[in-house]
Amino acid sequence: MTDQKSESATQVRDSLIRAARICFIASDYDKVSIRKIAEEAGVNMAMIRYYFGNKLGLFEAMIAEFISPVLQRSKTINQGDNPLKMSDILDNFYQTMTETPDFPRFLFRLMSSEHSHEAKGVIFKLFTPLANLTPMPKPLLDKCSDTDPMLVKMSMMSLMIFPFVIPLSMAELHGFELDDDFYQRLAKHNIKLLEKGLFGEQD
């Protein structure tokens, strides 16, 4: 009986996190009510208070669930016997983003908003360890020692993040089909681009 209760509790909690993801991706954080999330999950609103305390607690649990695999894979890469490589960083990032392609756009929209300050605080809290984990890929810096490290970092972020936040209408205008195959090919292209340059060695 205890195991059944535990399993049921886990199912309710997971249902609320899935419902929260659907609701927060579809609308602004401030406009999403706990009633709406509870209806999406098919449970009583009291379950949100019971498991998460309030809407912000549920939001944090949802973000933590998303970021946890990214952190774990990054830690595994960093703690491996072989030195960190550009391909490791990009493969890890693209693998995570292609699993939930709507999530990067949601984060971009949230962080660009002038509102939702408490939700932004959660993002800073949970993403800071990831930002500090690989602040600057040494293999790349070793190859461009005469380049400003912060500019290198911005270039990398542009290559990695923009393909996931580009407006769909703009992607369609330029003929991009943003599917798994496209992102896989783009990951390989960007690795080559960063390691060898767009046009290869020039005289």
Side-chain angles (χ1 to χ4, degrees), residues 2-199:
T2 302
D3 290 342
Q4 290 179 346
K5 287 184 178 180
S6 177
E7 182 178 350
S8 177
T10 300
Q11 290 174 346
V12 170
R13 188 181 186 280
D14 290 346
S15 294
L16 283 168
I17 289 178
R18 285 194 298 271
R21 181 180 298 148
I22 291 171
C23 292
F24 287 127
I25 285 177
S27 184
D28 294 338
Y29 173 85
D30 293 336
K31 295 180 180 179
V32 175
S33 67
I34 59 173
R35 182 184 297 277
K36 175 65 176 177
I37 297 172
E39 289 176 353
E40 181 69 36
V43 302
N44 190 287
M45 284 192 301
M47 293 295 97
I48 293 178
R49 296 187 179 91
Y50 179 79
Y51 288 108
F52 306 102
N54 53 28
K55 183 175 80 168
L56 185 63
L58 174 54
F59 179 80
E60 181 168 345
M62 180 201 72
I63 298 296
E65 184 177 273
F66 172 78
I67 200 69
S68 178
V70 184
L71 280 169
Q72 188 56 49
R73 279 200 289 262
S74 297
K75 289 178 180 177
T76 301
I77 290 171
N78 277 326
Q79 294 170 358
D81 295 330
N82 298 320
L84 185 67
K85 298 182 295 186
M86 283 305 307
S87 57
D88 295 328
I89 298 172
L90 287 173
D91 282 344
N92 178 41
F93 181 83
Y94 276 92
Q95 180 181 343
T96 302
M97 293 300 108
T98 52
E99 291 172 359
T100 52
D102 289 334
F103 213 78
R105 289 191 180 89
F106 152 70
L107 289 175
F108 182 80
R109 187 183 75 236
L110 172 65
M111 300 309 286
S112 299
S113 170
E114 296 181 358
H115 309 288
S116 308
H117 299 296
E118 60 180 11
K120 290 180 184 178
V122 168
I123 300 300
F124 277 108
K125 172 185 173 182
L126 297 181
F127 275 75
T128 295
L130 181 61
N132 292 338
L133 197 58
T134 52
M136 189 44 48
K138 191 173 183 300
L140 179 61
L141 291 182
D142 288 343
K143 295 180 180 181
C144 51
S145 57
D146 59 341
T147 304
D148 185 334
M150 293 308 295
L151 297 182
V152 173
K153 186 173 185 178
M154 178 59 77
S155 295
M156 281 190 61
M157 290 176 64
S158 300
L159 288 170
M160 294 166 68
I161 297 173
F162 181 73
F164 293 96
V165 299
I166 180 176
L168 295 179
S169 56
M170 183 180 292
E172 182 179 354
L173 174 66
H174 290 280
F176 298 129
E177 295 185 16
L178 304 180
D179 52 20
D180 287 351
D181 177 67
F182 174 81
Y183 286 125
Q184 290 175 8
R185 291 187 292 111
L186 182 62
K188 293 178 182 178
H189 166 78
N190 282 342
I191 290 169
K192 180 179 178 181
L193 175 65
L194 287 169
E195 291 182 340
K196 298 183 179 180
L198 184 60
F199 301 107

